[in-house]
Amino acid sequence: MKGETMEQLRTQLDEINMDLLRLLSRRADIVQRIGRVKQAQGVQRFDPLREKEMLDRIVSANPGPFDDSTIRHLFKQIFQASLQLQEEEKMHLLVSRKRRAEDTVVEVKGVRIGNGHPIVVAGPCSVETREQMETVGQGLRAQGIVVMRGGAYKPRTSPYDFQGLGREGLVMLRETADKYGMVAVSEIVNPADIEMATQYVDIIQIGARNMQNFELLKAAGSVRTPVLLKRGLSATIEELLFAAEYIMSRGNDQIILCERGIRTYEKATRNTLDISAVPILKQESHLPVFVDISHSTGRKDIMIPVAKAALAAGADGIMVEVHPEPSVALSDAKQQINLEQFGQLMDALREAGYLPPVAE
Ligand code: PEP
Ligand code: MN
């Protein structure tokens, strides 16, 4: 055109480039949204028919000066990049921080887990008797504990060992927790029991031995009760996250991950506490992370430094087994601490500033 300078034409070109960029980004955003819908519906991402349809429509509207094959080529590149975008997003699990940047706070009956204030989950390995639960419940309450544990379905190594009181144990735990204003955590081992368990417990525990019991994970994902998911004895961090994904992909996003030690050649401790799992899980996932200081170590003499290490590493809470008389406990007698030792642990954590100074 007459009078147009090179500079003016270049300015126009720059503007068009920016317009194209904006349009491409807008297109990419819609592509991502379509990808999410496809994922939710379980539909295949690449749809050759749809792609052909779009290309044909574009080519038939081609005003030139590019020929049809060039237009086809250019748009195919855009389609390719879009598909790649959907694939990349698919790789990010729901439990991943890449999918949700902010921390998930698990909330149950006013107790908030994962909000920066560490929680101490305490109670016996197994629920044994009403008296035992009463003594522990009272002692825990005196220390300001708000989450009580107690196993009713015990996954024991030997079939001849105490297997737990079952539903009766859940009832005792519920009664004690209610009496002392605590929320209750207990392990469930059978997918068929998940629904029933929601009547008695506020948090369903999935134990190390069941971390890859996929039917159990699916069942826990289909209720809305929070889940405390323990790392398997020989599970990698990635496998733990995939196990959590089973729960979350079913719609239950109230999950607490729990590092409880892994199997190694070391015999000084029952398991080897993988302390680096804590900051890695916090980095990789938005879910709260606990450390079980009892099952990871199997010994009571190192509880205080191990608890401090867990909290220093960024754990949102610790779990510890407390029994009125550990020497006669029906399970895990060696690692359970009594109420006095529990008091010492709490004092040490308060003194170190990991817990607020006062108990009521
Ligand atoms: C428990 O907490 O009672 C238990 C059995 O732990 P884990 O599954 O980690 O062995
Ligand atoms: Mn135990």
Side-chain angles (χ1 to χ4, degrees):
M1 257 181 252
K2 239 176 105 192
E4 273 182 324
T5 64
M6 174 74 108
E7 202 161 323
Q8 284 170 328
L9 289 170
R10 282 187 165 162
T11 306
Q12 282 182 43
L13 213 51
D14 285 343
E15 281 169 12
I16 289 173
N17 284 340
M18 286 305 128
D19 284 347
L20 279 173
L21 182 64
R22 262 190 296 277
L23 284 170
L24 281 173
S25 299
R26 243 183 78 197
R27 189 182 190 285
D29 178 56
I30 292 170
V31 162
Q32 281 178 318
R33 279 151 57 190
I34 291 174
R36 280 172 217 140
V37 174
K38 281 185 185 168
Q39 184 162 350
Q41 295 174 346
V43 176
Q44 179 75 23
R45 267 143 223 278
F46 179 53
D47 183 348
L49 269 181
R50 164 80 181 142
E51 188 167 315
K52 185 181 178 310
E53 215 178 271
M54 286 196 292
L55 275 176
D56 288 348
R57 195 174 308 151
I58 293 161
V59 166
S60 70
N62 178 18
F66 287 123
D67 62 30
D68 288 355
S69 72
T70 306
I71 288 294
R72 213 174 265 279
H73 176 74
L74 285 172
F75 273 88
K76 270 197 157 183
Q77 294 296 314
I78 295 174
F79 295 170
Q80 192 73 37
S82 304
L83 198 62
Q84 213 169 325
L85 205 61
Q86 288 184 346
E87 288 299 325
E88 274 166 24
E89 195 175 73
K90 193 180 78 174
M91 276 157 40
H92 301 318
L93 301 180
L94 296 169
V95 298
S96 163
R97 245 201 221 279
K98 297 208 174 80
R99 285 295 280 275
R100 191 191 286 175
E102 57 297 347
D103 287 339
T104 287
V105 176
V106 170
E107 219 170 329
V108 51
K109 292 184 177 166
V111 176
R112 288 164 64 79
I113 298 165
N115 66 346
H117 300 287
I119 291 280
V120 176
V121 178
C125 178
S126 301
V127 176
E128 297 169 6
T129 62
R130 276 216 156 69
E131 299 67 49
Q132 170 224 25
M133 292 303 280
E134 167 63 25
T135 311
V136 180
Q138 197 173 26
L140 298 184
R141 187 62 236 177
Q143 288 289 346
I145 296 303
V146 289
V147 188
M148 184 179 190
R149 63 155 285 148
Y153 297 93
K154 298 304 299 178
R156 305 305 300 282
T157 302
S158 164
Y160 305 116
D161 286 340
F162 175 61
Q163 301 289 306
L165 298 181
R167 199 167 176 149
E168 197 192 339
L170 293 184
V171 172
M172 288 186 201
L173 173 66
R174 178 76 272 155
E175 284 171 2
T176 315
D178 282 346
K179 180 169 176 188
Y180 294 106
M182 295 185 277
V183 301
V185 190
S186 199
E187 175 168 357
I188 300 302
V189 295
N190 185 345
D193 285 340
I194 290 281
E195 196 72 49
M196 172 277 291
T198 61
Q199 297 170 41
Y200 301 104
V201 302
D202 304 298
I203 302 174
I204 293 167
Q205 181 170 318
I206 293 184
R209 286 154 196 84
N210 271 313
M211 191 205 82
Q212 283 187 318
N213 180 339
F214 300 115
E215 294 309 314
L216 185 63
L217 297 171
K218 287 183 204 167
S222 60
V223 294
R224 292 298 166 265
T225 303
V227 178
L228 189 146
L229 175 65
K230 292 185 133 195
R231 180 178 181 180
L233 276 69
S234 301
T236 62
I237 291 172
E238 188 186 35
E239 286 164 342
L240 171 60
L241 289 172
F242 271 115
E245 187 77 6
Y246 262 90
I247 301 169
M248 197 149 167
S249 60
R250 290 272 164 147
N252 189 352
D253 68 350
Q254 298 286 285
I255 306 165
I256 304 156
L257 304 171
C258 184
E259 162 61 37
R260 48 79 70 206
I262 48 174
R263 280 264 161 99
T264 71
Y265 52 80
E266 182 52 65
K267 290 192 291 196
T269 47
R270 182 177 177 183
N271 291 288
T272 296
L273 172 59
D274 180 7
I275 199 73
S276 56
V278 177
I280 292 171
L281 287 170
K282 292 296 294 177
Q283 219 165 285
E284 300 276 315
S285 169
H286 49 81
L287 298 172
V289 177
F290 278 8
V291 170
D292 178 337
I293 62 171
S294 297
H295 292 91
S296 56
T297 62
R299 48 196 288 175
K300 35 188 141 189
D301 57 335
I302 54 171
M303 298 257 135
I304 292 175
V306 170
K308 285 182 183 171
L311 296 170
D316 296 287
I318 55 167
M319 176 181 271
V320 56
E321 287 186 337
V322 183
H323 191 283
E325 192 46 71
S327 62
V328 297
L330 297 179
S331 57
D332 287 348
K334 241 176 94 186
Q335 73 196 27
Q336 301 202 61
I337 55 175
N338 64 28
L339 283 163
E340 190 190 335
Q341 291 160 331
F342 181 63
Q344 289 161 3
L345 170 68
M346 292 297 286
D347 285 345
L349 296 179
R350 287 192 196 101
E351 267 165 42
Y354 290 114
L355 297 176
V358 274
E360 306 116 58

